């Protein structure tokens, strides 16, 4: 069984920064892809950023230049550094990891951007 636990969410003012973490534990050999998704109220879940095992990254257009995804493979931990946050970034952020052919999800962490 694999568990993903997100942390680092909270309330931040527009223009501020937050760093999300995703810690994976359990029966892990290697994580091929780690990703962050988000779901705002009344909207569908969307991909924010992903990083593969070689460090290659991909970002949603809405966060390019503001968010940075990274991972610490020995620690099985992923990160999402979010800068220049906007009210439209308000959402529940979910960590996703692919291990072999199985996709795992965390329970999410709430990010609220408001003055």
């Amino acid at each position: 069984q694999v568990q993903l636990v997100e942390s680092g969410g909270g309330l931040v003012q527009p223009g501020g920064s937050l760093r999300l973490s995703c810690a994976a534990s359990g029966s892990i050999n290697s994580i091929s892809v780690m990703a962050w998704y988000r779901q705002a109220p009344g909207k569908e879940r969307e991909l924010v950023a992903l990083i593969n095992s070689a460090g290659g990254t991909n970002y949603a257009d809405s966060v390019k230049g503001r968010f940075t995804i990274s991972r610490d493979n020995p620690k099985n931990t992923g990160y999402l550094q979010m800068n220049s946050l906007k009210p439209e970034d308000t959402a529940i952020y979910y960590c996703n990891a692919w291990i072999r052919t199985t996709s795992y999800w965390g329970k999410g962490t709430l990010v609220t951007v408001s003055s």
Side-chain angles (χ1 to χ4, degrees):
Q1 189 69 19
V2 174
Q3 298 83 38
L4 300 179
V5 178
E6 302 97 336
S7 61
L11 173 64
V12 63
Q13 292 186 343
S17 298
L18 282 175
R19 188 193 194 206
L20 305 184
S21 298
C22 173
S25 62
S27 302
I28 300 171
N29 286 329
S30 64
I31 299 173
S32 55
V33 175
M34 293 192 80
W36 289 92
Y37 288 75
R38 67 186 180 187
Q39 187 166 19
K43 295 187 177 182
E44 294 185 353
R45 190 174 297 190
E46 63 174 356
L47 175 67
V48 176
L50 64 82
I51 183 168
N52 62 29
S53 57
T57 59
N58 194 21
Y59 295 91
D61 288 342
S62 60
V63 306
K64 282 181 181 177
R66 301 188 298 122
F67 291 11
T68 302
I69 190 171
S70 61
R71 60 191 288 176
D72 185 332
N73 290 332
K75 294 183 178 180
N76 289 319
T77 301
Y79 305 96
L80 185 68
Q81 178 66 44
M82 305 186 295
N83 298 328
S84 302
L85 283 161
K86 304 175 181 180
E88 51 263 44
D89 294 317
T90 295
I92 298 174
Y93 284 71
Y94 297 91
C95 177
N96 171 261
W98 280 88
I99 300 171
R100 293 194 183 96
T101 58
T102 304
S103 175
Y104 297 91
W105 291 89
K107 293 183 178 180
T109 184
L110 177 63
V111 172
T112 304
V113 185
S114 175
S115 55

